[in-house]
Amino acid sequence: MQTEIKSGAIYVYEAPVRVWHWVNALAITLLAVTGYLVANPLPTLPGEASDHFLMGYIRFVHFAAAYIFAVAFLGRIYWAMVGNTYSRQLFKLPLLRLSFWQELLHEIRWYAFLEREPKKYAGHNPLAHLVMVAIITVGGVVMIVTGFALYAEQTGLGSWQDRLFGWLIPLMGQSMDVRSWHHWGMWVIVVFVMLHVYVAIREDIVSRQSLISTMISGWRTFKDDRP
């Protein structure tokens, strides 16, 4: 698909990518909050548990958000195949390109305040590109697989969740091992989200291109005409 360009701006993030980004953000927030509460249940409420069913509702929200996250992830894979060049960045890294590593080092130095000026990028800069693939793509697959493997214990033997993901539990040892990896994965993503928000605000202020507004409008604009 051809990239759309107008004076001083490039159409980077198409509508499906932007919708996925915000749906993903909401799903991750719900998953992290409810996941924490599932692992650390609230104090017992007075009366019969069936009268308030609080943890049941929390688990339902967790499972519903997990389905939204998984379906949105599949939709994102589809759009990477039919969307523009930038929609595919989430699923591939130019690891064999020397300039990628050189620019990655430059970005690390920029974030460490060792460079006076950042470079301009239409899509993700190399450091953001690497982290997004590692956390969102690889991490997302890990969370989906481990999450549905645990969910298969609820749906029972022979369910589609058990047939597709039930093999993971004996492979990793036991249910508690999978649960631990799933829980640690949650904390990795929580830390990533905090850094992601900090970097998005920081780069929107000090970088040479738009960032937050791009994820709303889709258009990347630049603050100067220099290369």
Side-chain angles (χ1 to χ4, degrees):
M1 184 176 291
Q2 190 173 6
T3 300
E4 192 176 351
I5 300 175
K6 67 180 181 181
S7 180
I10 301 176
Y11 190 54
V12 175
Y13 299 125
E14 299 160 298
V17 173
R18 304 198 307 273
V19 170
W20 168 81
H21 175 269
W22 296 113
V23 168
N24 210 40
L26 177 61
I28 287 175
T29 301
L30 291 173
L31 284 166
V33 172
T34 56
Y36 176 82
L37 292 174
V38 168
N40 302 275
L42 297 169
T44 304
L45 296 175
E48 293 295 331
S50 57
D51 290 339
H52 37 73
F53 202 58
L54 179 60
M55 288 308 301
Y57 291 126
I58 291 173
R59 283 164 57 87
F60 172 78
V61 172
H62 190 76
F63 295 153
Y67 271 108
I68 292 171
F69 181 85
V71 171
F73 192 83
L74 292 176
R76 186 64 182 81
I77 293 174
Y78 168 76
W79 196 257
M81 294 186 288
V82 301
N84 65 12
T85 299
Y86 305 105
S87 70
R88 286 187 278 279
Q89 283 192 315
L90 198 62
F91 299 97
K92 66 176 185 179
L93 283 167
L95 297 177
L96 300 179
R97 201 175 70 197
L98 178 60
S99 61
F100 172 79
W101 295 103
Q102 292 171 334
E103 293 176 6
L104 175 64
L105 178 61
H106 182 278
E107 284 303 308
I108 293 173
R109 290 178 55 83
W110 162 246
Y111 282 108
F113 303 101
L114 298 176
E115 293 287 345
R116 296 178 62 85
E117 185 176 77
K119 296 181 180 295
K120 294 166 71 174
Y121 295 97
H124 292 303
N125 70 57
L127 181 57
H129 190 178
L130 179 64
V131 173
M132 292 293 284
V133 171
I135 303 298
I136 297 299
T137 306
V138 178
V141 170
V142 170
M143 295 304 284
I144 289 172
V145 172
T146 54
F148 273 103
L150 293 170
Y151 188 51
E153 294 185 318
Q154 310 294 316
T155 57
L157 294 173
S159 64
W160 68 263
Q161 294 91 346
D162 177 58
R163 291 196 298 272
L164 289 179
F165 304 102
W167 52 268
L168 186 65
I169 290 179
L171 180 68
M172 296 184 69
Q174 57 176 321
S175 176
M176 195 61 205
D177 295 324
V178 179
R179 196 174 303 277
S180 296
W181 280 102
H182 193 71
H183 191 69
W184 294 334
M186 178 199 75
W187 284 112
V188 170
I189 292 177
V190 167
V191 172
F192 162 77
V193 169
M194 291 190 290
L195 292 175
H196 181 62
V197 172
Y198 160 71
V199 168
I201 295 173
R202 176 183 183 270
E203 289 297 287
D204 207 54
I205 296 172
V206 302
S207 76
R208 300 168 63 195
Q209 62 266 320
S210 64
L211 204 74
I212 297 175
S213 62
T214 303
M215 195 42 77
I216 297 173
S217 68
W219 287 91
R220 176 82 77 203
T221 57
F222 301 96
K223 301 174 183 176
D224 59 64
D225 296 326
R226 291 177 286 111

